[in-house]
Amino acid sequence: MVAGLYGAGALIAPPERVDRPYFDDTAAQLGVIREQFRQLEEYLAEVELPPSAGGKLAELMELYGALLEPGWVADVLATEPDAVHALSRGIRLDVPECVNTYNRTRWWNRLTPGGESPERHLERQLSVLYDEAERVTADLREAEARRQQTHTTYLEDRGRS
């Protein structure tokens, strides 16, 4: 009987609570991304790129830098995890991969010319990344516009009460 009561108590007792894992908050992630951005800038300063791609890369890096600049823009960025992810992926993976594959492919093209030029691929890749960064910026601007509209509606509703 005691064993039965013990078994019944074990079945109806709540399970042991396991603490959820701790993940860095988005603001802390932005600090890491800023440091990675600085490393990327140092790397890009050492790499030889064609002038046609250099302009698009400069525009892309300027946009990334503006989004990461400490202040209210970064605060808005920190509220959008998808935007932070897109920015992080661009800085940590996409831009370095574009530049590295360009340099490797350019070397191979010197040995066996032909096919589509590595410069053209690099320009296309950087254009796609720039377009993505512009979409992130537009989404952040739209989120701020929605916040403003919501606050206006709140104030108008409050004034009617």
Side-chain angles (χ1 to χ4, degrees):
M1 177 112 150
V2 171
L5 289 173
Y6 177 77
L11 290 175
I12 62 170
E16 229 179 275
R17 183 173 176 179
V18 178
D19 289 335
R20 70 183 182 109
Y22 171 76
F23 298 108
D24 287 342
D25 65 343
T26 310
Q29 289 175 359
L30 284 180
V32 172
I33 295 170
R34 279 187 195 101
E35 179 56 35
Q36 293 167 343
F37 179 70
R38 282 191 279 282
Q39 291 172 357
L40 178 61
E41 287 179 314
E42 291 171 6
Y43 165 72
L44 293 174
E46 302 287 324
V47 177
E48 180 185 331
L49 295 174
S52 58
K56 187 53 83 173
L57 181 61
E59 290 174 8
L60 176 63
M61 295 300 286
E62 184 178 329
L63 189 52
Y64 283 168
L67 289 169
L68 288 170
E69 186 71 30
W72 69 268
V73 174
D75 293 343
V76 172
L77 176 65
T79 65
E80 301 292 333
D82 290 340
V84 172
H85 175 72
L87 193 61
S88 174
R89 183 184 58 219
I91 291 168
R92 293 180 331 111
L93 301 172
D94 296 333
V95 172
E97 182 65 15
C98 290
V99 172
N100 287 336
T101 56
Y102 162 75
N103 281 318
R104 288 191 307 267
T105 306
R106 188 177 64 158
W107 185 85
W108 285 106
N109 261 17
R110 289 179 184 158
L111 295 178
T112 56
E116 196 168 0
S117 78
E119 290 83 7
R120 179 69 187 125
H121 275 288
L122 178 61
E123 291 168 24
R124 287 171 47 200
Q125 292 168 349
L126 293 174
S127 290
V128 169
L129 289 173
Y130 184 79
D131 292 345
E132 179 184 51
E134 279 190 320
R135 280 192 305 275
V136 165
T137 304
D139 290 347
L140 292 173
R141 181 177 47 244
E142 186 178 313
E144 281 299 290
R146 280 192 310 268
R147 280 188 193 102
Q148 184 181 32
Q149 181 60 42
T150 300
H151 190 64
T152 300
T153 303
Y154 162 73
L155 292 174
E156 290 171 348
D157 290 346
R158 189 175 76 184
R160 288 185 206 126
S161 299

